[in-house]
Amino acid sequence: MKSTFFAASPLALGAALALAATAPATPLAAQDAPEIEAPKIEAPKIEAGADLESLVDQVAIPYEEFQLDNGLTVIVHEDRKAPIVGVAVWYNVGSKDEPEGKTGFAHLFEHLMFNGSENAPNDYFQYLQEMGATDYNGTTNFDRTNYFQTVPRPALERALWLESDRMGYLLGAVTQEKLDNQRGVVQNEKRQGDNQPGGLVFYEILETIFPEGHPYQHSVIGSMADLDAASMEDVRSWFIDNYGPNNATLVLAGDVSAAEARPLVEKWFGDIDRGPDNIPAAADVPTLEKDVRKVMKDQVAATSVSIYWPAPGITSEELTALDVGTRILGGLASSRLDEILVRDEQLAVGVGAGNYDFQRVGLLNVSATLKDGVPLAQLEARLKQLIDWYIETGPTEDEVRRAATSQLAGTIRGLEQVGGFGGKAVTLARGEVLAGTPEFYAKQFETLATLTPAEVKAAMAKWLTRPAFTLVLEPGEREEQYEEAASVAADEENASERDRAAEEITVSKERPAPPIDTIASLDFPELQRTTLANGMQLTYAQRDVVPATYVTMSFNAGSAADPADMRGLENLTLGLFDEGTEQLTAQEIAETRERLGVSISTGGGDDRSTFTLSALSANLAPSLELFSQVIREPAFNEKDIARLKSQTVTGIRSQMKSPQGLARRALGIELFGTDTPYGGVTTIESVESITRDDMLAFKDRWIRPDNGEVFVVSDKPLAEIVAALNSAFGDWTAPAVAKGEKDFASLAEAEVTGNRIVLIDRPNSPQSVIYAAQRTDLDASDENWVDFTNANNSLGGNFLARLNMNLRETKGWSYGVRGGPQARENAVVYFMGGGVQADRTGDSIAEMIRETSEFLTTNGVTEEELTRNVASEVGALPGRFETSRAVLGAMRSLTLYGRPDDYYEGLVGKYEAQTPESLDAAARAALDVEDFVWIVVGDASKVKPQLEQLGLPVEVRPMEGSEAAGG
C-alpha cells in the first residue's frame, strides 16, 4: 500500500499519482557511505508483462484536424462506443501571461465566462444541465484556460452554440455586478485553499524558486489586492486580447466524425472575429544562486521536508526521463525511498517524488514526512544522501521498465473516457496548445518505450545536482501575516452581493439556441450471473472498449463491522493485505504489480469491505494469481503492522488539523453516538490497542468466500473470466470460525438532538467550515428514492441548487455549498455544508436555515426546476456509465440496495412521471429543518458572537487533539 501524507506543499500531494521503484542496492545510513555490493534479492514468484512496444501500440487516439478562416483550430476524434461527445475548448492563456498588478485575471475570467453570455445570459451550468451534460467544468493553470463538458450526441449542436457564444459574444453580458460577485467567489476559493494545513506553502515555493518578474512566480489564483483592483475596463481588455478564436483550440471526442462536425463548427464559430495573437510569455528555467532552506509552521500533523529543483518544461527532450526518474526514486509503491525510508529504516511515514511539468518550466520535487520520534536532522540527511546515491548509481533496466509499464497500463485503462479532466479530448488539446501537436502524447510514449537507464541517470544528474530549495513544514502557529480582501478588512457591506434584476445585458447579435430534437438512450450492459467453484456469486458485464478487466471482491463487513471499542480495525486490517503475503514481501508485491501493469486497491465504506483489481486483460491470469495471494494469504508481519499503525496515526492527526476532517469526525458521533455500527470514530488510542490477533480474527470472520461476492467488467467473455477466477480462487474455503454478524438494533436507540450548533475553535482560520446533517427515515432501496434525490436537486444537489446559488452566486460568501443524502445500507443521512468567509459565518447559517425552511414549507420545487432537473438526469444517463469503473460501481449499488438489473434503464420513466407535488412530498416527509445538527469549524473569537445571534444553543469545543482538549 502506497500511503501519501501531507508533505510540504500541494505539489507534493501529486506524488501519489507518480510512480516509484526500489533500490538495487541500499547505501549505509552513515554520511560517508563506502562502496556497496547489491544484495541478492529473490525474484518475485509471479512473472508476466506485455512488452512496452505492444502496450504503446494500444495507446492510440486517431483524429482529424482542420482550421477555420478566423484561426480556430479544431480536432475531432471519433469514438462510437456511446451516444456522447466530449467537448473541450482550450484558450492559449494562463496566469503566466498576466502583467504585473493583474495577477489572478485568467482565473477570475474563467469564472466570469460561466456567468452568462449575450444569448445565454444565465449561469452556464443551467444550460449544461438542460443538455444532460456530465463531467463539465473549467480550469485555469499557469499556461492555459479550458472548458469542457460531455454531452449526449443530440445536444452537441447546443453545446457548440453555448461555447461559441462565450467566445464571440461575451462582453455584452459582463456587468459590474457579475465582476463584484465572482471576485468574492474567487477570494473564497483562495481562502478555502489557504485555510488547509500547509495552504500557504505553494506561494513560498513560487517566490523562492522563481526570481522577481518571472512569469511563473505568482500563483494562478493571484493576490487579494490585485483581485480587489480589477476593473471593468481591465476585464474587457483582457478578454479582447486573449480569447479570440485564433487563440483557441476546440476538441470533439466521441460519437461524431470530422465530416459531421465541420459544418456545425463553421456554423457557430465561423463568424467570430479573429483577435490579437497571444504569444505565450517566454520564461527561462531559473537557477538558484545557492541552496536555500526555509522553515514554515502550520497546523500540520507531522513535520515534512521537501526539496525542489527548477526543471525544463513539457517540450524538453528530457521530460520523459525526468518523469520516470522521479517515479523510480519516490513515486511508485516500490520506490527506493519507500523501501528504504518507510519500510526498512522506518524514518518516514510517507515519501513522494514527482516532475511537475508546465509549458516553459517544471519543478522536480522529493519529499518525506517524518515518523513520530525520529529526529528531523536524521531524516533530512538520509533523504539527501539517498538522492545523491540515486544520482550516482542511476536506475536499473527493471526499474525503468516497471515504471514505464505502470504508466502505459494506466493510460490504456483511461482511454475509455472521451471528456472530463483526463479523457481523450484533454489529451489531444493539451498536446496541441502546449506542445504544438495533438500527437504529443504518442511521441512521449514512443520515447517511454525505448528509454534507457543511462538516459534517466543523465537527466537526473543534470537537474538534481543544481542548487535546490529545501522547505521544512513543521507543526506550530503560522508566522506569516495573512493577506485579506479589502472588503473584509474594511468591514463593509456585502460588496460581492449580486442583484440579477438590476443587470443590463447588451445583445450585439441574436443567436437563438438550436433545438435538441431527440434524447440519447442509455444502453446499460446486460448483467450475467453464475457461481464460482468456491460458492461466491459472480455478477458480470462485458465491455470491449479497452483490453482491460476490472474485478471487485466485496465482503459484507465495512467499518460497521468494527467493535465499538476497536474503531479502525477494518481499515487497518485491509491496509495490511498488500503489505506482504506468505510468499511475497511488500516490496515484491509492489514490483510485481508494476511489471504486470495492475492496480490492486482496498476500500468499501461503512457496509462493505472491497478488494478491486484493475488489470490488462492480456495479463489477467498472473494478475489474478497476485490478487489471490493478497486476499487469501496476508502475512500480517509485526514490522509491517507497526509501520502501518504509525502511518494511520499520522493520518488521524492530519484529520484533526484539517477543518473538514475535524467537522467529519465530530458529525459522525453527533448523529450515531459512540456505540452503534455507524457511530464512533477511529482514535489514536483505538489504533494503538489493535493487535495482530485482532486482525487475524477480523480476516477469518469477515474476509471469506461465504461472506462475499464478485463483480467483473471485462472485454473477455464470461466463460474465460469464470475459468480464470476458479483457477485463482476456486479452492478457497471458509475457515472453521463463525462468520461475522453486524447488529444494527442499537441504531434505533441512539438519540439525536437537533437544532443546535457545535463550534470547534480553530484559531486564525480565514474561512469557517459549516456542516449540517440529520438522520432520516429514507431508504435507498425504496422504489421512490429518486423522488427525494431529484427534489434535492432544487435544494442542494448541484451547482444551480438554491443553497449554492444563494451563498456563492448571489452573496459571494462561499466557493460552494452542497447538500444531499448519504446512503448506507441501514441508514440515510442528509448532509449539507461548505466553506464560507469567516466574517459571514452566522449570516451563512441563517441563509441555509431560511432556504431549507422555505423549501420544506412555502417554496417547494418549481416547474422550471423540475423541467431542468429531469432533463439533466435523463440526458446524463449515457454519460454516467461511460467507463467500466462506473459500470462496476453501479453493479455493486444494485446489489447493495436490492435493485433490479434494469433499474438504471427504468429511471427515465420514473423521472418523466415526477411532478412538483410528488417531489415536495418526498422532501417534506424526509427532512425537518429543526433536526439539523450544525458543526462549525472556525476561529471562535470571530465566529461565536455571530452564531449567538441565531437563537440556537452554541457549544464551543477545542480542536480535537489540541492542548486545550488534553491532546
Side-chain angles (χ1 to χ4, degrees), residues 81 114 196 251 301 484 701 704 797 870:
K81 73 172 182 295
F114 271 113
Q196 300 305 310
V251 179
E484 251 302 355
R701 293 187 66 211
R704 45 195 285 165
V870 167

Side-chain angles (χ1 to χ4, degrees), residues 105-266:
F105 263 52
H107 177 247
L108 176 62
F109 217 88
E110 173 220 313
H111 279 245
L112 284 170
M113 289 178 74
F114 271 113
N115 269 173
S117 55
E118 294 176 14
N119 294 281
N122 298 317
D123 285 281
Y124 263 42
F125 293 102
Q126 174 177 325
Y127 305 104
L128 291 168
Q129 287 187 19
E130 290 170 352
M131 287 187 279
T134 56
D135 293 324
Y136 50 83
N137 213 321
T139 67
T140 309
N141 68 14
F142 290 111
D143 302 311
R144 54 93 190 123
T145 303
N146 70 353
Y147 300 91
F148 52 88
Q149 55 266 311
T150 300
V151 299
R153 178 60 177 87
L156 174 59
E157 186 173 2
R158 177 75 64 87
L160 296 176
W161 163 79
L162 193 64
E163 286 292 356
S164 65
D165 212 58
R166 69 172 151 197
M167 179 185 290
Y169 306 93
L170 181 82
L171 288 182
V174 176
T175 65
Q176 186 67 51
E177 291 83 3
K178 288 181 181 179
L179 172 59
D180 293 341
N181 172 259
Q182 288 306 306
R183 186 197 342 261
V185 171
V186 169
Q187 287 172 336
N188 274 298
E189 181 179 359
K190 178 174 165 59
R191 291 185 189 101
Q192 184 167 299
D194 295 350
N195 197 35
Q196 300 305 310
L200 304 183
V201 165
F202 190 47
Y203 307 128
E204 190 69 38
I205 295 168
L206 296 180
E207 291 173 6
T208 302
I209 291 287
F210 299 106
E212 191 69 32
H214 193 282
Y216 288 86
Q217 196 203 32
H218 65 269
S219 68
V220 174
I221 205 162
S223 75
M224 289 287 196
D226 286 356
L227 291 170
D228 280 332
S231 69
M232 282 290 291
E233 185 55 39
D234 292 332
V235 165
R236 291 177 183 277
S237 297
W238 180 259
F239 175 76
I240 292 169
D241 289 345
N242 296 290
Y243 294 86
N246 47 309
N247 287 325
T249 295
L250 168 67
V251 179
L252 305 177
D255 188 16
V256 65
S257 67
E260 294 166 336
R262 184 160 193 153
L264 295 176
V265 173
E266 290 177 338

Side-chain angles (χ1 to χ4, degrees), residues 57 60 87 122 228 267 324 508 514 519 522 612 615 627-628 655 799 930 960:
D57 289 342
V87 180
N122 298 317
D228 280 332
K267 175 181 177 180
V324 169
S508 58
I519 297 174
L522 168 66
T612 297
F627 198 42
S628 176
Q655 293 173 13
F799 185 94
E930 295 188 354
E960 186 183 4

Side-chain angles (χ1 to χ4, degrees), residues 386-435:
L386 291 173
I387 294 169
D388 292 342
W389 164 67
Y390 179 54
I391 293 170
E392 179 183 350
T393 62
T396 66
E397 178 70 28
D398 183 54
E399 285 175 321
V400 172
R401 292 187 69 81
R402 282 191 283 111
T405 300
S406 296
Q407 181 178 352
L408 286 166
T411 301
I412 290 169
R413 291 191 290 267
L415 288 178
E416 280 189 292
Q417 192 171 15
V418 294
F421 284 95
K424 291 188 278 189
V426 168
T427 300
L428 295 173
R430 183 175 189 264
E432 173 65 28
V433 173
L434 301 186

